[in-house]
Amino acid sequence: MIRENTFDHPYYVVWMSFRFSKIIRNIGRWAVYALLPLIFISCQKKEYSREEAIRSLKVLNGDVSGFLTKAGEMEEMAALRFLWDHDSLPLPFATEKFSADQPWKPYDFNASKGVYSLDSLRPVFLRKEESHEVSLLFSGPEIPEGEFMLKDYQAAEISSRPDFPLKLEAELKLKGLKGEKRMTISHAAQVSDDLPEAVNSSIKTEDSGVSFTLRRTRKKNDGTLFLQLDVEKKGFHFIRADLNATIGYSSMGYYFKDIRFNMEVFSHLATGFIRYGLIDPTARDYAASFNAHSDIRLYEMPGKRLVGKLVLSKSPQGDLLDYFIRFKDGSLVPVSEYLPFMDRLLNLKI
Amino acid sequence: MKMKSMALLMLLSIVVFVGCDLLKGGEDEVTDPSKTMGRVGNYWDLQSTGYTASKITVDSNTDGNVVASYIYNGKTYQLEGKVTDKGIYDYVYSNGDKNKPFTLVKFDAKVGDQWEFKVGTQTVVRKVTHVSTDNDTYYGMLMIKTIDVEETIPSGLQVKGAASPFTKILWKFNHKFGFIMAFGTKTNGTTVNLYSYDTNADD
Protein backbone atom coordinates (compact mmCIF):
# COMPACT_ATOMS: atom_id res chain seq x y z
CA MET A 1 0.00 0.00 0.00
CA ILE A 2 1.31 3.23 -0.92
CA ARG A 3 1.04 5.51 2.00
CA GLU A 4 -0.69 8.71 1.23
CA ASN A 5 1.39 11.81 1.69
CA THR A 6 0.40 13.05 5.09
CA PHE A 7 0.96 16.66 4.10
CA ASP A 8 -1.61 16.38 1.38
CA HIS A 9 -4.22 15.12 3.75
CA PRO A 10 -6.75 17.87 4.36
CA TYR A 11 -7.31 16.91 8.02
CA TYR A 12 -3.61 17.04 8.72
CA VAL A 13 -3.39 20.50 7.19
CA VAL A 14 -6.27 21.71 9.36
CA TRP A 15 -4.72 20.06 12.44
CA MET A 16 -1.36 21.63 11.68
CA SER A 17 -2.90 25.04 11.21
CA PHE A 18 -4.61 24.74 14.63
CA ARG A 19 -1.35 23.56 16.11
CA PHE A 20 0.53 26.41 14.50
CA SER A 21 -1.91 29.00 15.74
CA LYS A 22 -1.65 27.45 19.22
CA ILE A 23 2.13 27.71 19.07
CA ILE A 24 1.82 31.33 18.03
CA ARG A 25 -0.65 32.02 20.85
CA ASN A 26 1.73 30.41 23.34
CA ILE A 27 4.66 32.39 22.06
CA GLY A 28 2.55 35.53 22.29
CA ARG A 29 1.49 34.65 25.84
CA TRP A 30 5.11 34.02 26.91
CA ALA A 31 6.20 37.22 25.21
CA VAL A 32 3.61 39.13 27.23
CA TYR A 33 4.80 37.42 30.45
CA ALA A 34 8.38 38.28 29.56
CA LEU A 35 7.47 41.87 28.82
CA LEU A 36 5.35 42.35 31.94
CA PRO A 37 8.21 43.50 34.14
CA LEU A 38 9.28 45.89 31.42
CA ILE A 39 5.72 47.18 31.00
CA PHE A 40 5.45 47.50 34.77
CA ILE A 41 8.70 49.39 35.03
CA SER A 42 7.92 51.63 32.09
CA CYS A 43 4.44 52.41 33.46
CA GLN A 44 6.00 53.75 36.63
CA LYS A 45 6.28 57.51 36.83
CA LYS A 46 9.34 58.33 34.80
CA GLU A 47 10.35 61.58 36.42
CA TYR A 48 13.86 62.45 37.43
CA SER A 49 14.69 63.52 40.95
CA ARG A 50 16.07 67.02 41.33
CA GLU A 51 19.67 65.75 41.32
CA GLU A 52 19.09 63.59 38.24
CA ALA A 53 17.31 66.44 36.50
CA ILE A 54 20.18 68.86 37.17
CA ARG A 55 22.61 66.30 35.77
CA SER A 56 20.38 65.96 32.71
CA LEU A 57 20.20 69.74 32.20
CA LYS A 58 23.98 69.96 32.39
CA VAL A 59 24.22 67.31 29.70
CA LEU A 60 21.81 69.26 27.48
CA ASN A 61 23.66 72.51 28.04
CA GLY A 62 26.95 70.80 27.25
CA ASP A 63 25.54 69.33 24.04
CA VAL A 64 24.12 72.63 22.81
CA SER A 65 27.08 74.75 23.92
CA GLY A 66 29.44 72.35 22.21
CA PHE A 67 27.37 72.51 19.04
CA LEU A 68 27.22 76.33 19.09
CA THR A 69 30.97 76.57 19.71
CA LYS A 70 31.76 74.20 16.87
CA ALA A 71 29.30 75.94 14.54
CA GLY A 72 30.85 79.30 15.42
CA GLU A 73 34.32 77.97 14.69
CA MET A 74 33.40 76.80 11.20
CA GLU A 75 35.37 78.71 8.59
CA GLU A 76 32.16 79.15 6.59
CA MET A 77 30.48 80.91 9.52
CA ALA A 78 33.54 83.07 10.16
CA ALA A 79 33.48 84.12 6.51
CA LEU A 80 29.77 85.00 6.63
CA ARG A 81 30.31 87.05 9.82
CA PHE A 82 33.22 88.80 8.13
CA LEU A 83 31.02 89.73 5.16
CA TRP A 84 28.09 90.80 7.35
CA ASP A 85 30.30 93.30 9.18
CA HIS A 86 30.96 95.25 5.97
CA ASP A 87 28.49 98.04 5.38
CA SER A 88 29.41 98.38 1.72
CA LEU A 89 28.18 94.88 0.93
CA PRO A 90 26.08 94.80 -2.27
CA LEU A 91 23.81 92.14 -0.79
CA PRO A 92 20.20 92.17 0.44
CA PHE A 93 19.71 92.96 4.17
CA ALA A 94 23.32 94.03 4.57
CA THR A 95 22.84 97.78 4.50
CA GLU A 96 19.67 97.72 6.56
CA LYS A 97 20.45 94.74 8.77
CA PHE A 98 16.80 94.46 9.77
CA SER A 99 16.77 97.83 11.50
CA ALA A 100 13.24 99.19 11.58
CA ASP A 101 14.02 102.76 12.52
CA GLN A 102 14.44 104.29 9.10
CA PRO A 103 12.88 104.17 5.64
CA TRP A 104 14.61 101.54 3.59
CA LYS A 105 15.34 101.05 -0.07
CA PRO A 106 14.44 97.73 -1.65
CA TYR A 107 17.49 95.74 -2.74
CA ASP A 108 18.12 95.94 -6.49
CA PHE A 109 19.70 92.65 -7.53
CA ASN A 110 20.21 93.60 -11.19
CA ALA A 111 21.88 96.89 -10.32
CA SER A 112 24.13 95.13 -7.80
CA LYS A 113 25.44 92.47 -10.21
CA GLY A 114 29.18 92.48 -10.73
CA VAL A 115 32.47 91.17 -9.42
CA TYR A 116 33.58 92.97 -6.27
CA SER A 117 36.78 92.75 -4.33
CA LEU A 118 37.78 94.09 -0.96
CA ASP A 119 39.81 97.25 -1.17
CA SER A 120 43.30 96.79 0.24
CA LEU A 121 43.25 100.09 2.18
CA ARG A 122 39.65 100.53 3.31
CA PRO A 123 37.14 97.86 4.38
CA VAL A 124 35.01 98.54 1.29
CA PHE A 125 33.91 96.26 -1.54
CA LEU A 126 34.60 97.82 -4.94
CA ARG A 127 33.09 96.67 -8.24
CA LYS A 128 35.84 95.48 -10.58
CA GLU A 129 33.93 94.05 -13.52
CA GLU A 130 30.50 93.14 -14.89
CA SER A 131 28.89 89.81 -14.14
CA HIS A 132 25.54 88.03 -14.40
CA GLU A 133 25.59 87.56 -10.61
CA VAL A 134 26.94 89.28 -7.50
CA SER A 135 30.38 87.91 -6.80
CA LEU A 136 32.42 89.01 -3.78
CA LEU A 137 36.11 88.17 -3.57
CA PHE A 138 37.56 88.53 -0.11
CA SER A 139 40.18 87.45 2.37
CA GLY A 140 40.83 88.47 5.93
CA PRO A 141 43.30 88.02 8.75
CA GLU A 142 41.35 85.11 10.26
CA ILE A 143 39.59 83.72 7.23
CA PRO A 144 40.93 82.05 4.12
CA GLU A 145 40.61 83.45 0.62
CA GLY A 146 37.03 83.09 -0.53
CA GLU A 147 34.22 84.01 -2.88
CA PHE A 148 30.55 84.59 -2.10
CA MET A 149 28.18 84.42 -5.05
CA LEU A 150 24.58 85.58 -5.05
CA LYS A 151 23.25 83.84 -8.13
CA ASP A 152 19.58 84.70 -7.95
CA TYR A 153 17.44 86.97 -5.80
CA GLN A 154 13.82 88.03 -5.92
CA ALA A 155 11.83 89.73 -3.19
CA ALA A 156 8.35 90.98 -2.40
CA GLU A 157 7.28 93.81 -0.16
CA ILE A 158 5.46 92.58 2.92
CA SER A 159 4.21 94.18 6.10
CA SER A 160 7.43 93.46 7.95
CA ARG A 161 10.50 95.10 6.64
CA PRO A 162 12.79 94.57 4.76
CA ASP A 163 11.58 93.04 1.51
CA PHE A 164 10.84 89.39 2.02
CA PRO A 165 12.98 87.17 -0.24
CA LEU A 166 10.96 85.00 -2.62
CA LYS A 167 13.98 83.35 -4.15
CA LEU A 168 17.60 83.25 -3.13
CA GLU A 169 20.40 81.09 -4.48
CA ALA A 170 23.87 81.66 -3.11
CA GLU A 171 27.16 79.87 -2.77
CA LEU A 172 30.24 80.36 -0.63
CA LYS A 173 33.64 78.97 -1.62
CA LEU A 174 36.65 78.99 0.66
CA LYS A 175 40.19 77.94 -0.19
CA GLY A 176 41.24 76.05 2.91
CA LEU A 177 44.36 74.10 3.72
CA LYS A 178 42.47 70.87 3.10
CA GLY A 179 41.05 71.92 -0.25
CA GLU A 180 38.04 73.98 -1.25
CA LYS A 181 35.04 74.24 1.07
CA ARG A 182 31.58 75.02 -0.19
CA MET A 183 28.37 76.20 1.35
CA THR A 184 25.15 76.52 -0.64
CA ILE A 185 22.18 78.60 0.46
CA SER A 186 18.83 77.98 -1.16
CA HIS A 187 15.56 79.68 -0.37
CA ALA A 188 12.13 79.76 -2.02
CA ALA A 189 9.00 81.39 -0.67
CA GLN A 190 5.47 82.45 -1.47
CA VAL A 191 3.74 85.48 -0.04
CA SER A 192 0.04 86.22 0.34
CA ASP A 193 -1.88 88.83 2.34
CA ASP A 194 1.40 90.69 2.81
CA LEU A 195 2.75 87.77 4.86
CA PRO A 196 4.91 84.70 4.17
CA GLU A 197 2.71 81.79 3.13
CA ALA A 198 5.26 79.09 2.28
CA VAL A 199 9.00 78.99 2.87
CA ASN A 200 11.59 76.34 2.08
CA SER A 201 15.12 77.28 3.08
CA SER A 202 18.28 75.28 3.36
CA ILE A 203 21.95 75.80 4.08
CA LYS A 204 24.24 72.94 3.16
CA THR A 205 27.91 72.27 3.57
CA GLU A 206 29.73 69.09 2.57
CA ASP A 207 28.77 67.23 5.73
CA SER A 208 26.03 69.26 7.39
CA GLY A 209 22.77 70.96 6.65
CA VAL A 210 20.06 73.17 8.09
CA SER A 211 16.56 73.22 6.63
CA PHE A 212 13.56 75.34 7.52
CA THR A 213 9.97 75.03 6.38
CA LEU A 214 6.98 77.30 6.95
CA ARG A 215 3.38 76.80 5.87
CA ARG A 216 0.59 79.24 6.64
CA THR A 217 -3.08 78.86 5.78
CA ARG A 218 -6.01 81.24 5.94
CA LYS A 219 -9.77 80.84 5.96
CA LYS A 220 -11.40 84.23 6.49
CA ASN A 221 -9.86 85.48 9.76
CA ASP A 222 -8.63 82.11 11.03
CA GLY A 223 -5.71 80.01 9.94
CA THR A 224 -2.84 77.73 10.80
CA LEU A 225 0.91 78.03 10.94
CA PHE A 226 3.39 75.19 10.66
CA LEU A 227 7.12 75.58 11.21
CA GLN A 228 9.80 72.93 10.96
CA LEU A 229 13.53 73.09 11.58
CA ASP A 230 16.09 70.37 11.01
CA VAL A 231 19.82 70.48 11.69
CA GLU A 232 21.98 67.53 10.70
CA LYS A 233 25.60 66.56 10.42
CA LYS A 234 26.75 63.45 8.60
CA GLY A 235 23.19 62.14 8.57
CA PHE A 236 22.70 62.57 12.32
CA HIS A 237 19.73 64.87 12.93
CA PHE A 238 20.56 66.47 16.26
CA ILE A 239 18.00 69.28 16.21
CA ARG A 240 14.49 68.62 14.97
CA ALA A 241 11.72 71.02 15.81
CA ASP A 242 8.18 71.48 14.64
CA LEU A 243 5.49 73.91 15.67
CA ASN A 244 1.78 73.77 14.84
CA ALA A 245 -0.31 76.79 15.66
CA THR A 246 -3.76 78.12 15.10
CA ILE A 247 -3.73 81.81 14.33
CA GLY A 248 -6.09 84.72 13.88
CA TYR A 249 -5.73 87.48 11.34
CA SER A 250 -5.98 91.23 11.74
CA SER A 251 -5.07 94.16 9.56
CA MET A 252 -1.74 94.16 11.39
CA GLY A 253 -0.84 90.59 10.45
CA TYR A 254 -1.57 87.52 12.49
CA TYR A 255 -1.58 86.57 16.15
CA PHE A 256 -1.36 83.22 17.93
CA LYS A 257 -4.27 81.38 19.49
CA ASP A 258 -2.88 77.90 20.23
CA ILE A 259 0.68 76.66 19.86
CA ARG A 260 1.84 73.05 19.99
CA PHE A 261 5.46 72.15 19.55
CA ASN A 262 8.10 69.42 19.76
CA MET A 263 11.79 70.12 19.79
CA GLU A 264 14.34 67.33 19.86
CA VAL A 265 17.80 68.58 20.73
CA PHE A 266 20.45 65.88 20.94
CA SER A 267 19.10 63.50 23.60
CA HIS A 268 16.37 65.79 24.94
CA LEU A 269 12.83 66.55 23.91
CA ALA A 270 10.97 69.76 24.76
CA THR A 271 7.30 69.40 24.05
CA GLY A 272 4.10 71.15 24.99
CA PHE A 273 1.37 73.59 24.19
CA ILE A 274 0.60 77.22 24.89
CA ARG A 275 -3.00 78.41 24.68
CA TYR A 276 -1.72 81.84 23.79
CA GLY A 277 -5.13 83.30 23.04
CA LEU A 278 -6.28 82.65 26.61
CA ILE A 279 -3.27 84.24 28.27
CA ASP A 280 -4.07 87.74 29.50
CA PRO A 281 -1.07 90.02 28.88
CA THR A 282 -2.56 92.73 31.08
CA ALA A 283 -3.40 90.43 34.01
CA ARG A 284 -2.25 91.53 37.44
CA ASP A 285 -0.72 88.05 37.83
CA TYR A 286 0.48 87.37 34.31
CA ALA A 287 2.64 84.42 35.37
CA ALA A 288 -0.42 82.63 36.77
CA SER A 289 -2.30 83.27 33.53
CA PHE A 290 0.61 81.94 31.47
CA ASN A 291 1.08 78.83 33.62
CA ALA A 292 -2.64 78.05 33.66
CA HIS A 293 -2.77 78.01 29.89
CA SER A 294 0.48 76.30 29.01
CA ASP A 295 2.18 72.99 29.55
CA ILE A 296 5.84 72.76 28.53
CA ARG A 297 7.87 69.71 29.51
CA LEU A 298 11.45 68.71 29.05
CA TYR A 299 12.31 65.02 28.71
CA GLU A 300 15.52 63.08 28.35
CA MET A 301 15.52 60.50 25.59
CA PRO A 302 15.53 57.56 25.13
CA GLY A 303 13.16 56.42 27.85
CA LYS A 304 11.36 59.75 27.96
CA ARG A 305 12.31 60.62 31.53
CA LEU A 306 10.73 63.88 32.65
CA VAL A 307 13.40 66.40 33.62
CA GLY A 308 10.99 69.16 34.59
CA LYS A 309 8.21 71.50 33.60
CA LEU A 310 8.77 75.00 32.34
CA VAL A 311 6.86 77.73 34.19
CA LEU A 312 6.86 81.50 34.37
CA SER A 313 7.48 83.08 37.76
CA LYS A 314 8.83 86.16 39.44
CA SER A 315 12.57 86.12 39.97
CA PRO A 316 13.70 85.94 43.60
CA GLN A 317 15.57 89.23 43.18
CA GLY A 318 12.47 91.28 42.44
CA ASP A 319 9.33 91.66 40.43
CA LEU A 320 10.88 90.75 37.09
CA LEU A 321 9.46 87.68 35.38
CA ASP A 322 11.65 84.81 34.33
CA TYR A 323 11.27 81.26 33.04
CA PHE A 324 11.90 78.49 35.58
CA ILE A 325 12.12 74.71 35.54
CA ARG A 326 9.96 73.00 38.13
CA PHE A 327 11.50 69.72 39.35
CA LYS A 328 9.78 66.64 40.75
CA ASP A 329 10.10 67.96 44.31
CA GLY A 330 8.37 71.22 43.33
CA SER A 331 11.47 73.38 43.57
CA LEU A 332 12.13 75.99 40.88
CA VAL A 333 15.38 77.01 39.23
CA PRO A 334 15.77 79.70 36.58
CA VAL A 335 16.18 78.20 33.11
CA SER A 336 19.18 80.45 32.58
CA GLU A 337 20.97 78.84 35.52
CA TYR A 338 21.45 75.51 33.76
CA LEU A 339 20.50 76.36 30.16
CA PRO A 340 21.86 79.83 29.46
CA PHE A 341 21.14 79.47 25.72
CA MET A 342 17.39 79.02 26.32
CA ASP A 343 16.81 82.57 27.52
CA ARG A 344 17.32 84.00 24.08
CA LEU A 345 15.05 81.44 22.45
CA LEU A 346 12.22 81.90 24.93
CA ASN A 347 12.16 85.66 24.57
CA LEU A 348 11.67 85.50 20.84
CA LYS A 349 8.25 86.82 19.88
CA ILE A 350 7.00 84.76 16.96
CA MET B 1 -31.38 76.37 59.30
CA LYS B 2 -33.16 76.82 56.01
CA MET B 3 -33.22 80.58 56.51
CA LYS B 4 -29.52 80.50 57.30
CA SER B 5 -28.81 78.60 54.06
CA MET B 6 -30.94 81.01 52.08
CA ALA B 7 -29.13 83.97 53.60
CA LEU B 8 -25.79 82.38 52.80
CA LEU B 9 -26.94 81.70 49.24
CA MET B 10 -28.08 85.28 48.83
CA LEU B 11 -24.83 86.58 50.24
CA LEU B 12 -22.89 84.34 47.84
CA SER B 13 -25.03 85.54 44.94
CA ILE B 14 -24.30 89.14 45.80
CA VAL B 15 -20.58 88.42 46.11
CA VAL B 16 -20.56 86.58 42.78
CA PHE B 17 -22.66 89.26 41.10
CA VAL B 18 -20.56 92.14 42.39
CA GLY B 19 -17.36 90.17 41.80
CA CYS B 20 -18.29 89.45 38.19
CA ASP B 21 -19.16 93.07 37.67
CA LEU B 22 -15.81 94.14 39.03
CA LEU B 23 -14.02 91.58 36.90
CA LYS B 24 -15.74 92.87 33.77
CA GLY B 25 -13.85 96.12 34.42
CA GLY B 26 -14.64 98.54 31.66
CA GLU B 27 -17.33 96.60 29.86
CA ASP B 28 -19.70 99.35 30.90
CA GLU B 29 -17.79 101.72 28.67
CA VAL B 30 -19.84 103.15 25.83
CA THR B 31 -18.64 102.02 22.41
CA ASP B 32 -21.42 103.57 20.31
CA PRO B 33 -19.43 105.43 17.62
CA SER B 34 -21.81 108.38 17.72
CA LYS B 35 -20.86 108.90 21.38
CA THR B 36 -17.09 108.47 21.02
CA MET B 37 -14.32 110.03 18.95
CA GLY B 38 -14.05 106.75 17.00
CA ARG B 39 -16.82 107.73 14.59
CA VAL B 40 -16.21 106.57 11.01
CA GLY B 41 -14.80 109.45 9.01
CA ASN B 42 -13.14 111.15 11.97
CA TYR B 43 -9.65 112.27 11.06
CA TRP B 44 -6.55 113.76 12.60
CA ASP B 45 -4.18 115.84 10.47
CA LEU B 46 -0.66 114.85 11.40
CA GLN B 47 2.75 116.46 11.10
CA SER B 48 6.17 115.12 11.90
CA THR B 49 9.44 117.01 11.60
CA GLY B 50 11.26 115.85 8.49
CA TYR B 51 8.27 114.06 7.00
CA THR B 52 5.41 115.10 4.75
CA ALA B 53 2.09 115.81 6.42
CA SER B 54 -0.30 112.92 6.72
CA LYS B 55 -3.81 112.21 7.92
CA ILE B 56 -5.19 109.29 9.88
CA THR B 57 -8.86 108.51 9.24
CA VAL B 58 -11.24 106.10 10.95
CA ASP B 59 -12.42 103.63 8.27
CA SER B 60 -14.61 101.35 10.37
CA ASN B 61 -15.94 100.97 13.88
CA THR B 62 -17.40 97.69 15.13
CA ASP B 63 -18.40 97.77 18.78
CA GLY B 64 -15.69 100.31 19.48
CA ASN B 65 -13.00 98.43 17.55
CA VAL B 66 -11.77 100.91 14.99
CA VAL B 67 -9.62 100.46 11.93
CA ALA B 68 -7.89 103.65 10.88
CA SER B 69 -5.66 104.18 7.86
CA TYR B 70 -2.87 106.56 7.01
CA ILE B 71 -0.53 107.06 4.09
CA TYR B 72 3.21 106.97 4.61
CA ASN B 73 5.82 106.99 1.86
CA GLY B 74 3.07 106.48 -0.73
CA LYS B 75 1.70 103.35 0.89
CA THR B 76 -1.47 102.97 2.93
CA TYR B 77 -1.11 101.45 6.39
CA GLN B 78 -3.81 100.39 8.81
CA LEU B 79 -3.91 100.65 12.56
CA GLU B 80 -6.42 98.97 14.86
CA GLY B 81 -7.58 100.11 18.25
CA LYS B 82 -10.56 100.49 20.50
CA VAL B 83 -12.25 103.77 21.32
CA THR B 84 -14.82 104.17 24.07
CA ASP B 85 -16.24 107.14 25.91
CA LYS B 86 -13.74 106.45 28.72
CA GLY B 87 -10.51 105.91 26.83
CA ILE B 88 -8.42 104.67 23.93
CA TYR B 89 -6.86 101.20 23.64
CA ASP B 90 -4.60 99.71 20.99
CA TYR B 91 -3.67 96.27 19.65
CA VAL B 92 -0.08 96.99 18.59
CA TYR B 93 1.54 94.54 21.00
CA SER B 94 -1.09 91.83 20.49
CA ASN B 95 -0.75 92.17 16.72
CA GLY B 96 -4.43 92.89 16.33
CA ASP B 97 -5.91 90.32 18.75
CA LYS B 98 -9.19 92.01 19.75
CA ASN B 99 -9.28 90.07 23.01
CA LYS B 100 -6.14 91.82 24.18
CA PRO B 101 -6.60 95.60 24.19
CA PHE B 102 -3.86 97.65 25.85
CA THR B 103 -4.88 100.90 27.49
CA LEU B 104 -3.30 103.93 25.84
CA VAL B 105 -5.22 106.48 27.90
CA LYS B 106 -8.19 106.79 30.22
CA PHE B 107 -9.81 110.20 30.17
CA ASP B 108 -10.33 110.12 33.94
CA ALA B 109 -6.74 108.97 34.63
CA LYS B 110 -4.72 110.36 37.52
CA VAL B 111 -0.98 110.93 37.75
CA GLY B 112 0.64 107.62 38.70
CA ASP B 113 -1.95 105.41 37.03
CA GLN B 114 -0.17 102.63 35.19
CA TRP B 115 -1.04 99.94 32.65
CA GLU B 116 1.16 97.00 31.70
CA PHE B 117 1.29 94.59 28.78
CA LYS B 118 3.44 91.45 29.06
CA VAL B 119 5.18 89.74 26.17
CA GLY B 120 7.02 86.71 27.57
CA THR B 121 9.27 88.06 30.31
CA GLN B 122 9.19 91.58 28.90
CA THR B 123 6.77 94.29 30.03
CA VAL B 124 5.59 97.38 28.20
CA VAL B 125 4.59 100.02 30.75
CA ARG B 126 2.33 103.02 30.20
CA LYS B 127 2.32 105.46 33.08
CA VAL B 128 0.37 108.69 33.50
CA THR B 129 2.95 111.38 34.21
CA HIS B 130 0.90 114.54 33.94
CA VAL B 131 -2.75 115.57 34.01
CA SER B 132 -3.38 119.23 33.28
CA THR B 133 -5.36 121.25 35.72
CA ASP B 134 -5.19 124.32 33.45
CA ASN B 135 -5.14 124.76 29.69
CA ASP B 136 -1.37 124.44 29.25
CA THR B 137 -0.84 122.97 25.78
CA TYR B 138 -1.22 124.58 22.37
CA TYR B 139 -3.48 122.80 19.88
CA GLY B 140 -3.66 124.86 16.71
CA MET B 141 -5.03 128.21 17.91
CA LEU B 142 -6.38 126.75 21.14
CA MET B 143 -4.95 126.12 24.57
CA ILE B 144 -6.09 122.79 25.95
CA LYS B 145 -5.61 120.36 28.86
CA THR B 146 -3.74 117.10 28.27
CA ILE B 147 -3.21 113.73 29.87
CA ASP B 148 0.41 112.65 29.37
CA VAL B 149 1.27 108.96 29.23
CA GLU B 150 4.86 107.76 29.17
CA GLU B 151 5.34 104.41 27.45
CA THR B 152 8.49 102.41 28.21
CA ILE B 153 9.36 99.67 25.73
CA PRO B 154 11.88 96.94 26.62
CA SER B 155 14.86 96.65 24.32
CA GLY B 156 14.41 94.19 21.47
CA LEU B 157 10.64 93.86 21.84
CA GLN B 158 9.22 92.70 18.52
CA VAL B 159 6.52 94.72 16.79
CA LYS B 160 5.30 93.45 13.44
CA GLY B 161 8.29 91.18 12.99
CA ALA B 162 10.99 93.72 13.80
CA ALA B 163 12.54 95.04 17.00
CA SER B 164 10.76 98.18 18.15
CA PRO B 165 12.83 101.21 17.15
CA PHE B 166 11.60 103.06 20.23
CA THR B 167 12.56 102.82 23.88
CA LYS B 168 10.16 105.51 25.10
CA ILE B 169 7.10 107.31 23.77
CA LEU B 170 5.49 110.24 25.51
CA TRP B 171 1.84 110.48 24.47
CA LYS B 172 -0.41 113.49 24.97
CA PHE B 173 -4.17 113.15 24.75
CA ASN B 174 -7.19 115.33 25.27
CA HIS B 175 -10.62 114.05 26.23
CA LYS B 176 -12.29 116.01 23.36
CA PHE B 177 -9.71 115.96 20.58
CA GLY B 178 -8.09 112.59 21.31
CA PHE B 179 -4.53 112.29 20.07
CA ILE B 180 -2.54 115.50 20.45
CA MET B 181 1.10 114.52 20.10
CA ALA B 182 3.75 111.86 20.64
CA PHE B 183 7.48 112.17 21.29
CA GLY B 184 9.38 109.00 20.53
CA THR B 185 12.91 108.25 21.74
CA LYS B 186 14.69 105.76 19.51
CA THR B 187 17.14 103.08 20.53
CA ASN B 188 19.97 105.21 19.13
CA GLY B 189 18.96 108.16 21.33
CA THR B 190 17.45 110.34 18.60
CA THR B 191 13.90 111.61 18.92
CA VAL B 192 10.92 111.75 16.62
CA ASN B 193 7.82 113.83 17.13
CA LEU B 194 4.35 113.43 15.70
CA TYR B 195 1.60 115.88 16.40
CA SER B 196 -1.93 116.56 15.35
CA TYR B 197 -2.89 120.10 14.35
CA ASP B 198 -6.49 119.55 13.37
CA THR B 199 -9.28 117.04 13.87
CA ASN B 200 -13.02 116.75 13.45
CA ALA B 201 -13.30 114.48 16.49
CA ASP B 202 -14.95 117.23 18.54
CA ASP B 203 -17.61 118.06 15.92
Side-chain angles (χ1 to χ4, degrees), chain A residues 280, chain B residues 15-27:
Chain A
D280 181 1
Chain B
V15 168
V16 169
F17 180 75
V18 173
C20 286
D21 214 41
L22 285 172
L23 283 172
K24 276 183 190 171
E27 280 188 13

Side-chain angles (χ1 to χ4, degrees), chain B residues 143-196:
Chain B
M143 287 292 280
I144 58 168
K145 293 186 178 77
T146 63
I147 303 160
D148 298 2
V149 179
E150 187 184 72
E151 176 171 335
T152 307
I153 305 152
S155 170
L157 190 83
Q158 299 278 306
V159 177
K160 292 192 82 177
S164 171
F166 295 102
T167 55
K168 270 195 193 302
I169 302 173
L170 178 66
W171 301 92
K172 284 177 181 278
F173 297 94
N174 174 273
H175 66 285
K176 260 173 79 178
F177 303 109
F179 173 76
I180 303 301
M181 60 181 82
F183 298 97
T185 305
K186 290 185 176 181
T187 47
N188 61 7
T190 59
T191 57
V192 177
N193 61 55
L194 178 71
Y195 58 90
S196 164

